[in-house]
Amino acid sequence: MKFTKTLMATTALTMVAGVSGAADMADEMTIVSWGGAYTDSQMNAYHKPYMEKTGVNIISDDSSAEAVAKLRAMNEANNITWDVVDVVASDAMRLCDEGLAMEIDFDNMLAPAPDGTSATEDFGDLLVSDCFIPQIVYSTTFGYRTDLVGDTAPTSVCDVFDLEAFPGKRSLQKRPIDNMEWALYCDGVAKDDIYEVLGTDEGVEKALAKLDTIKSSVVWWTAGAETPQLLADGEVVMGSTFNGRLFSAIAEQNQPIGMLWDMQSFDLDGWIIPAGLSPERQARALDYVFFATDTQRLADQAKYISYGPARKSSAPLVGKHEALGIDMAPHMPTDPANASNVHIYDYNWWADNRDDLDAKFQAWLAK
């Protein structure tokens, strides 16, 4: 369907259906995300403005870490209770492949850039799945207690595995992603060879053997807010989490925490709409994502958390933190000063191998 000025002013569902009147939409919706500072940023940039604009009631659910399993269960029970779900790219791919997420017609269901550039061109290479609407570029990296690491702060991700130089507890996410890659890298595998090695049984054993060296000192987390709290409480010396959570702890809460950007793992996060919603709920979900992923709204989220917006047209609009008044650009994972040695997380590889590696990782945890 070709965009016209009139169509660009209507709701996403009107554009898809090609009808002249506003479609009936649900007056309540459940949006699933990750909790903590990240959900707060979405609440400020997207949810509150949308509720004020439409009068719809948004219910927040912080279950994104379990999104794939829960959507599978909802599908089995034929009872989909979520309307819009925030997931990482690899999980979106799995949900799309399994028919659990709605396919998106990006140029007809999402807003163009202010200059008329189509959504597909504006999002560009970040459109990695037919069902995935990118929202942010973020990284998983390490924070450390500046007052608990001694006179020399950690500078390498491999310091996480050095219990002699940096004694104390670590926190790691309770999943194989990132942990396996960091383990191989710190066991001498070149960055470019990580996924080739991890694709073999020997490579998996090599990664788990490296993780064995710190297993007894690890606190495992499942929610992004846990590591900042563990660091703030002094229960761990260093721990992995999302860079925006660490920014919040450091800049907003003035915690004695430093950032370790070495081998930060770049990833994408965004929205999916579950398959099987009623027409009214689907209409509401489409209307919401049309609103929440336009150029200005994606830039607005960067006022509250240090994640880069997924649209090219949003980047020039990123300014200062809403409350602190500090320039947000230097706190983004993509800032050149932070990106001298990054790990490019391969969401395609993980989409194909996640279930198998999850099983092996959980079996290792249980030993």
Short mmCIF file of all heavy atoms in Angstrom, two decimals, residues 26-55:
data_model
loop_
_atom_site.label_atom_id
_atom_site.label_comp_id
_atom_site.label_asym_id
_atom_site.label_seq_id
_atom_site.Cartn_x
_atom_site.Cartn_y
_atom_site.Cartn_z
N ALA A 26 -9.16 -2.44 21.68
CA ALA A 26 -9.28 -2.73 23.10
C ALA A 26 -8.90 -1.50 23.91
O ALA A 26 -8.07 -0.69 23.48
CB ALA A 26 -8.35 -3.90 23.46
N ASP A 27 -9.51 -1.34 25.08
CA ASP A 27 -9.21 -0.17 25.91
C ASP A 27 -8.23 -0.48 27.03
O ASP A 27 -8.00 0.33 27.92
CB ASP A 27 -10.50 0.44 26.48
CG ASP A 27 -11.31 -0.56 27.30
OD1 ASP A 27 -10.80 -1.66 27.57
OD2 ASP A 27 -12.46 -0.23 27.66
N GLU A 28 -7.66 -1.68 27.00
CA GLU A 28 -6.63 -2.08 27.97
C GLU A 28 -5.66 -3.00 27.27
O GLU A 28 -6.04 -3.78 26.38
CB GLU A 28 -7.28 -2.77 29.17
CG GLU A 28 -6.30 -3.13 30.28
CD GLU A 28 -7.01 -3.66 31.52
OE1 GLU A 28 -7.41 -2.85 32.36
OE2 GLU A 28 -7.17 -4.90 31.61
N MET A 29 -4.39 -2.93 27.65
CA MET A 29 -3.40 -3.82 27.04
C MET A 29 -2.29 -4.13 28.04
O MET A 29 -2.01 -3.34 28.94
CB MET A 29 -2.81 -3.19 25.77
CG MET A 29 -2.05 -1.90 25.99
SD MET A 29 -1.61 -1.02 24.46
CE MET A 29 -0.79 -2.29 23.51
N THR A 30 -1.71 -5.31 27.88
CA THR A 30 -0.58 -5.73 28.72
C THR A 30 0.68 -5.68 27.88
O THR A 30 0.77 -6.33 26.84
CB THR A 30 -0.80 -7.15 29.27
OG1 THR A 30 -1.95 -7.16 30.11
CG2 THR A 30 0.41 -7.60 30.08
N ILE A 31 1.65 -4.90 28.35
CA ILE A 31 2.93 -4.78 27.67
C ILE A 31 4.01 -5.39 28.55
O ILE A 31 4.13 -5.07 29.73
CB ILE A 31 3.25 -3.31 27.35
CG1 ILE A 31 2.19 -2.75 26.39
CG2 ILE A 31 4.65 -3.19 26.74
CD1 ILE A 31 2.42 -1.32 25.97
N VAL A 32 4.78 -6.30 27.97
CA VAL A 32 5.76 -7.08 28.72
C VAL A 32 7.15 -6.54 28.46
O VAL A 32 7.53 -6.30 27.30
CB VAL A 32 5.68 -8.57 28.33
CG1 VAL A 32 6.65 -9.40 29.16
CG2 VAL A 32 4.25 -9.08 28.49
N SER A 33 7.94 -6.36 29.53
CA SER A 33 9.30 -5.87 29.38
C SER A 33 10.18 -6.46 30.48
O SER A 33 9.85 -7.48 31.06
CB SER A 33 9.31 -4.34 29.37
OG SER A 33 10.58 -3.86 28.99
N TRP A 34 11.29 -5.77 30.76
CA TRP A 34 12.34 -6.34 31.59
C TRP A 34 12.39 -5.78 33.00
O TRP A 34 13.19 -6.22 33.82
CB TRP A 34 13.70 -6.12 30.92
CG TRP A 34 13.80 -6.72 29.56
CD1 TRP A 34 13.46 -6.12 28.37
CD2 TRP A 34 14.24 -8.03 29.21
NE1 TRP A 34 13.67 -6.97 27.32
CE2 TRP A 34 14.15 -8.16 27.80
CE3 TRP A 34 14.71 -9.11 29.96
CZ2 TRP A 34 14.51 -9.33 27.12
CZ3 TRP A 34 15.07 -10.28 29.29
CH2 TRP A 34 14.97 -10.37 27.89
N GLY A 35 11.58 -4.78 33.32
CA GLY A 35 11.56 -4.22 34.66
C GLY A 35 12.64 -3.18 34.89
O GLY A 35 13.43 -2.84 34.00
N GLY A 36 12.68 -2.67 36.11
CA GLY A 36 13.72 -1.76 36.55
C GLY A 36 13.82 -0.49 35.74
O GLY A 36 12.83 0.06 35.24
N ALA A 37 15.05 0.00 35.58
CA ALA A 37 15.29 1.27 34.89
C ALA A 37 14.84 1.22 33.44
O ALA A 37 14.43 2.24 32.87
CB ALA A 37 16.78 1.61 34.96
N TYR A 38 14.89 0.02 32.84
CA TYR A 38 14.50 -0.09 31.43
C TYR A 38 12.99 0.12 31.26
O TYR A 38 12.56 0.93 30.42
CB TYR A 38 14.92 -1.45 30.88
CG TYR A 38 14.64 -1.61 29.40
CD1 TYR A 38 15.17 -0.69 28.50
CD2 TYR A 38 13.87 -2.66 28.92
CE1 TYR A 38 14.92 -0.83 27.14
CE2 TYR A 38 13.62 -2.80 27.57
CZ TYR A 38 14.15 -1.88 26.68
OH TYR A 38 13.91 -2.02 25.33
N THR A 39 12.19 -0.57 32.06
CA THR A 39 10.74 -0.35 31.98
C THR A 39 10.39 1.09 32.35
O THR A 39 9.49 1.69 31.75
CB THR A 39 10.00 -1.34 32.89
OG1 THR A 39 10.14 -2.67 32.37
CG2 THR A 39 8.51 -1.02 32.96
N ASP A 40 11.11 1.66 33.31
CA ASP A 40 10.88 3.07 33.66
C ASP A 40 11.09 3.97 32.44
O ASP A 40 10.32 4.92 32.22
CB ASP A 40 11.82 3.50 34.78
CG ASP A 40 11.45 2.89 36.13
OD1 ASP A 40 10.32 2.36 36.25
OD2 ASP A 40 12.28 2.95 37.05
N SER A 41 12.13 3.69 31.67
CA SER A 41 12.39 4.51 30.48
C SER A 41 11.28 4.37 29.45
O SER A 41 10.89 5.34 28.79
CB SER A 41 13.75 4.14 29.86
OG SER A 41 13.71 2.88 29.20
N GLN A 42 10.74 3.17 29.31
CA GLN A 42 9.62 2.96 28.39
C GLN A 42 8.35 3.63 28.91
O GLN A 42 7.57 4.18 28.13
CB GLN A 42 9.38 1.46 28.21
CG GLN A 42 10.52 0.75 27.47
CD GLN A 42 10.33 -0.75 27.43
OE1 GLN A 42 9.92 -1.37 28.41
NE2 GLN A 42 10.65 -1.35 26.30
N MET A 43 8.16 3.56 30.21
CA MET A 43 7.00 4.21 30.80
C MET A 43 7.01 5.71 30.50
O MET A 43 5.99 6.29 30.10
CB MET A 43 6.97 3.95 32.30
CG MET A 43 5.75 4.53 33.02
SD MET A 43 4.18 3.77 32.51
CE MET A 43 4.38 2.12 33.25
N ASN A 44 8.17 6.33 30.67
CA ASN A 44 8.27 7.77 30.45
C ASN A 44 8.21 8.16 28.98
O ASN A 44 7.57 9.16 28.61
CB ASN A 44 9.57 8.31 31.06
CG ASN A 44 9.51 8.35 32.58
OD1 ASN A 44 8.55 8.81 33.16
ND2 ASN A 44 10.56 7.88 33.23
N ALA A 45 8.88 7.38 28.14
CA ALA A 45 8.96 7.74 26.72
C ALA A 45 7.75 7.29 25.91
O ALA A 45 7.37 7.98 24.95
CB ALA A 45 10.23 7.14 26.11
N TYR A 46 7.15 6.16 26.29
CA TYR A 46 6.10 5.56 25.45
C TYR A 46 4.75 5.43 26.17
O TYR A 46 3.73 5.93 25.69
CB TYR A 46 6.51 4.16 24.98
CG TYR A 46 7.89 4.06 24.40
CD1 TYR A 46 8.70 2.96 24.67
CD2 TYR A 46 8.40 5.05 23.56
CE1 TYR A 46 9.97 2.84 24.13
CE2 TYR A 46 9.67 4.95 23.01
CZ TYR A 46 10.44 3.83 23.30
OH TYR A 46 11.70 3.73 22.76
N HIS A 47 4.75 4.71 27.29
CA HIS A 47 3.48 4.31 27.91
C HIS A 47 2.65 5.51 28.37
O HIS A 47 1.46 5.62 28.05
CB HIS A 47 3.72 3.38 29.10
CG HIS A 47 4.42 2.10 28.77
ND1 HIS A 47 4.76 1.72 27.50
CD2 HIS A 47 4.85 1.08 29.59
CE1 HIS A 47 5.37 0.54 27.53
NE2 HIS A 47 5.43 0.13 28.78
N LYS A 48 3.27 6.39 29.18
CA LYS A 48 2.51 7.52 29.70
C LYS A 48 1.98 8.43 28.58
O LYS A 48 0.79 8.79 28.59
CB LYS A 48 3.36 8.32 30.68
CG LYS A 48 3.57 7.63 32.02
CD LYS A 48 4.44 8.49 32.94
CE LYS A 48 4.65 7.80 34.29
NZ LYS A 48 5.55 8.59 35.18
N PRO A 49 2.82 8.80 27.60
CA PRO A 49 2.29 9.63 26.51
C PRO A 49 1.17 8.93 25.73
O PRO A 49 0.20 9.57 25.31
CB PRO A 49 3.50 9.87 25.61
CG PRO A 49 4.68 9.72 26.51
CD PRO A 49 4.28 8.66 27.49
N TYR A 50 1.32 7.59 25.56
CA TYR A 50 0.28 6.87 24.80
C TYR A 50 -1.03 6.82 25.60
O TYR A 50 -2.11 6.99 25.05
CB TYR A 50 0.75 5.45 24.47
CG TYR A 50 -0.22 4.72 23.56
CD1 TYR A 50 -0.30 5.03 22.21
CD2 TYR A 50 -1.06 3.72 24.06
CE1 TYR A 50 -1.19 4.38 21.37
CE2 TYR A 50 -1.95 3.06 23.23
CZ TYR A 50 -2.01 3.40 21.89
OH TYR A 50 -2.90 2.76 21.06
N MET A 51 -0.93 6.57 26.91
CA MET A 51 -2.13 6.54 27.73
C MET A 51 -2.81 7.90 27.76
O MET A 51 -4.04 8.00 27.70
CB MET A 51 -1.79 6.07 29.15
CG MET A 51 -1.46 4.58 29.24
SD MET A 51 -1.30 3.95 30.95
CE MET A 51 0.30 4.60 31.40
N GLU A 52 -2.02 8.97 27.83
CA GLU A 52 -2.59 10.32 27.82
C GLU A 52 -3.26 10.63 26.48
O GLU A 52 -4.30 11.28 26.43
CB GLU A 52 -1.49 11.34 28.11
CG GLU A 52 -0.98 11.29 29.55
CD GLU A 52 0.26 12.14 29.76
OE1 GLU A 52 0.67 12.83 28.78
OE2 GLU A 52 0.80 12.12 30.88
N LYS A 53 -2.67 10.14 25.42
CA LYS A 53 -3.19 10.41 24.08
C LYS A 53 -4.47 9.64 23.79
O LYS A 53 -5.40 10.14 23.15
CB LYS A 53 -2.13 10.05 23.03
CG LYS A 53 -2.56 10.15 21.57
CD LYS A 53 -1.39 9.82 20.66
CE LYS A 53 -1.79 9.89 19.20
NZ LYS A 53 -2.62 8.74 18.78
N THR A 54 -4.56 8.40 24.28
CA THR A 54 -5.64 7.50 23.89
C THR A 54 -6.62 7.16 25.00
O THR A 54 -7.74 6.71 24.72
CB THR A 54 -5.06 6.17 23.37
OG1 THR A 54 -4.36 5.52 24.44
CG2 THR A 54 -4.10 6.41 22.20
N GLY A 55 -6.20 7.30 26.26
CA GLY A 55 -7.05 6.88 27.38
C GLY A 55 -6.98 5.40 27.67
O GLY A 55 -7.65 4.92 28.60
#
